[in-house]
Coordinates of all heavy atoms in Angstrom, one line a residue:
V1 N 90.1 76.1 93.9 CA 89.4 77.2 93.0 C 89.6 78.5 93.7 O 89.9 79.5 93.0 CB 87.9 76.8 92.8 CG1 87.2 78.0 92.2 CG2 87.8 75.6 92.0
A2 N 89.4 78.6 95.0 CA 89.6 79.9 95.7 C 91.0 80.4 95.6 O 91.2 81.6 95.3 CB 89.2 79.8 97.2
R3 N 92.0 79.6 95.7 CA 93.4 80.0 95.5 C 93.6 80.5 94.1 O 94.3 81.5 93.9 CB 94.3 78.8 95.9 CG 94.5 78.6 97.4 CD 95.6 77.6 97.6 NE 95.5 77.2 99.0 CZ 94.9 76.2 99.5 NH1 94.3 75.3 98.7 NH2 94.9 75.9 100.8
A4 N 93.1 79.7 93.2 CA 93.4 80.2 91.8 C 92.7 81.5 91.5 O 93.3 82.4 90.8 CB 92.8 79.1 90.8
E5 N 91.5 81.7 92.0 CA 90.8 83.0 91.8 C 91.5 84.1 92.5 O 91.6 85.2 92.0 CB 89.4 82.9 92.4 CG 88.6 84.1 92.2 CD 88.4 84.6 90.8 OE1 88.4 83.8 89.9 OE2 88.2 85.8 90.6
A6 N 92.1 83.9 93.7 CA 92.9 84.9 94.4 C 94.1 85.2 93.6 O 94.5 86.4 93.5 CB 93.2 84.4 95.8
R7 N 94.8 84.2 93.1 CA 96.0 84.5 92.2 C 95.6 85.3 91.0 O 96.3 86.3 90.6 CB 96.7 83.2 91.9 CG 97.5 82.6 92.9 CD 98.4 81.5 92.4 NE 97.6 80.4 91.9 CZ 97.1 79.4 92.6 NH1 97.3 79.3 93.9 NH2 96.5 78.4 92.1
R8 N 94.5 85.0 90.4 CA 94.1 85.7 89.2 C 93.7 87.1 89.5 O 94.1 88.0 88.8 CB 92.8 85.0 88.6 CG 92.5 85.6 87.2 CD 91.0 85.3 86.9 NE 90.1 85.9 87.8 CZ 89.8 87.2 87.8 NH1 90.4 88.1 87.0 NH2 88.9 87.7 88.6
E9 N 93.0 87.3 90.6 CA 92.6 88.7 91.0 C 93.9 89.5 91.4 O 94.0 90.7 91.0 CB 91.7 88.6 92.2 CG 91.2 90.0 92.7 CD 90.4 90.8 91.7 OE1 89.8 90.2 90.8 OE2 90.5 92.0 91.7
A10 N 94.8 88.9 92.1 CA 96.0 89.7 92.5 C 96.8 90.0 91.3 O 97.3 91.1 91.1 CB 96.9 88.9 93.5
S11 N 96.9 89.1 90.3 CA 97.6 89.4 89.1 C 96.9 90.4 88.3 O 97.5 91.3 87.7 CB 97.7 88.1 88.3 OG 98.3 88.3 87.0
A12 N 95.6 90.4 88.2 CA 94.8 91.4 87.5 C 95.0 92.8 88.1 O 95.2 93.8 87.4 CB 93.3 91.1 87.5
Q13 N 95.1 92.9 89.4 CA 95.3 94.2 90.1 C 96.7 94.7 89.8 O 96.9 95.9 89.6 CB 95.1 94.0 91.6 CG 93.7 93.9 92.0 CD 93.6 93.7 93.5 OE1 94.6 93.7 94.3 NE2 92.4 93.5 94.0
N14 N 97.7 93.8 89.8 CA 99.0 94.1 89.4 C 99.1 94.7 88.0 O 99.7 95.7 87.7 CB 100.0 92.9 89.6 CG 101.4 93.3 89.9 OD1 101.6 94.4 90.5 ND2 102.3 92.6 89.4
I15 N 98.5 94.0 87.1 CA 98.5 94.4 85.7 C 97.8 95.7 85.5 O 98.3 96.6 84.8 CB 97.8 93.3 84.8 CG1 98.7 92.1 84.7 CG2 97.5 93.8 83.4 CD1 98.1 90.8 84.2
D16 N 96.7 95.9 86.2 CA 95.9 97.2 86.1 C 96.8 98.3 86.6 O 96.8 99.4 86.0 CB 94.6 97.2 86.9 CG 93.6 96.3 86.3 OD1 93.7 95.9 85.1 OD2 92.6 96.0 87.0
F17 N 97.5 98.1 87.7 CA 98.4 99.1 88.3 C 99.5 99.5 87.3 O 99.8 100.7 87.0 CB 99.0 98.6 89.6 CG 99.7 99.7 90.4 CD1 99.1 100.7 91.1 CD2 101.1 99.7 90.4 CE1 99.7 101.6 91.8 CE2 101.8 100.7 91.0 CZ 101.1 101.6 91.8
V18 N 100.2 98.5 86.7 CA 101.2 98.7 85.8 C 100.7 99.4 84.5 O 101.3 100.3 84.0 CB 102.0 97.4 85.5 CG1 103.0 97.6 84.4 CG2 102.7 96.9 86.7
M19 N 99.6 98.9 84.0 CA 99.0 99.5 82.8 C 98.6 101.0 83.0 O 98.8 101.8 82.1 CB 97.8 98.7 82.3 CG 98.2 97.3 81.7 SD 99.5 97.5 80.4 CE 98.5 98.3 79.2
Q20 N 98.1 101.3 84.2 CA 97.8 102.7 84.5 C 99.1 103.5 84.4 O 99.0 104.6 83.8 CB 97.2 102.8 85.9 CG 96.7 104.2 86.2 CD 96.1 104.3 87.6 OE1 96.2 103.4 88.4 NE2 95.5 105.5 87.8
L21 N 100.2 103.0 85.0 CA 101.4 103.8 84.9 C 101.9 103.9 83.4 O 102.5 104.9 83.0 CB 102.5 103.1 85.7 CG 102.3 103.1 87.2 CD1 103.4 102.3 87.9 CD2 102.2 104.6 87.8
T22 N 101.7 102.8 82.7 CA 102.1 102.8 81.3 C 101.3 103.7 80.4 O 101.9 104.3 79.5 CB 102.1 101.3 80.8 OG1 102.9 100.5 81.7 CG2 102.6 101.2 79.4
T23 N 100.0 103.7 80.6 CA 99.2 104.4 79.6 C 98.9 105.9 80.0 O 98.4 106.6 79.2 CB 97.8 103.7 79.4 OG1 97.2 103.6 80.7 CG2 98.1 102.3 78.9
D24 N 99.2 106.3 81.2 CA 98.9 107.6 81.6 C 100.3 108.4 81.6 O 101.1 108.2 82.5 CB 98.3 107.6 83.0 CG 98.0 109.0 83.5 OD1 98.6 110.0 83.1 OD2 97.1 109.1 84.4
P25 N 100.5 109.2 80.6 CA 101.8 109.9 80.5 C 102.2 110.7 81.7 O 103.4 110.8 82.1 CB 101.7 110.7 79.2 CG 100.5 110.3 78.5 CD 99.6 109.5 79.5
D26 N 101.2 111.4 82.2 CA 101.5 112.3 83.4 C 101.9 111.4 84.6 O 102.9 111.8 85.3 CB 100.3 113.2 83.7 CG 100.1 114.2 82.7 OD1 101.1 114.6 82.0 OD2 98.9 114.6 82.5
L27 N 101.2 110.4 84.9 CA 101.5 109.5 86.0 C 102.8 108.8 85.8 O 103.7 108.7 86.7 CB 100.4 108.5 86.2 CG 100.5 107.7 87.5 CD1 100.5 108.6 88.8 CD2 99.3 106.8 87.6
N28 N 103.1 108.4 84.6 CA 104.3 107.8 84.2 C 105.5 108.7 84.4 O 106.5 108.4 85.0 CB 104.3 107.3 82.8 CG 105.5 106.5 82.4 OD1 105.9 105.6 83.2 ND2 106.2 106.8 81.3
R29 N 105.3 110.0 84.0 CA 106.3 111.0 84.3 C 106.6 111.1 85.8 O 107.8 111.2 86.2 CB 105.9 112.3 83.7 CG 106.8 113.5 84.0 CD 106.2 114.8 83.4 NE 104.8 115.1 83.8 CZ 104.4 115.5 85.0 NH1 105.3 115.8 86.0 NH2 103.1 115.8 85.3

């Protein structure tokens, strides 16, 4: 369960980072 939660959290952080780059035009630029 701890491993699955860590994978989920790492994946969520990765998605958040990519989405921030995707949705913020200035940062994307």
Side-chain angles (χ1 to χ4, degrees):
V1 169
R3 283 189 191 94
E5 180 59 27
R7 281 191 298 274
R8 188 201 65 71
E9 181 61 29
S11 179
Q13 288 177 2
N14 204 36
I15 290 167
D16 288 346
F17 188 78
V18 171
M19 288 307 294
Q20 184 180 11
L21 293 175
T22 303
T23 58
D24 183 334
D26 291 331
L27 190 56
N28 187 47
R29 173 184 50 80

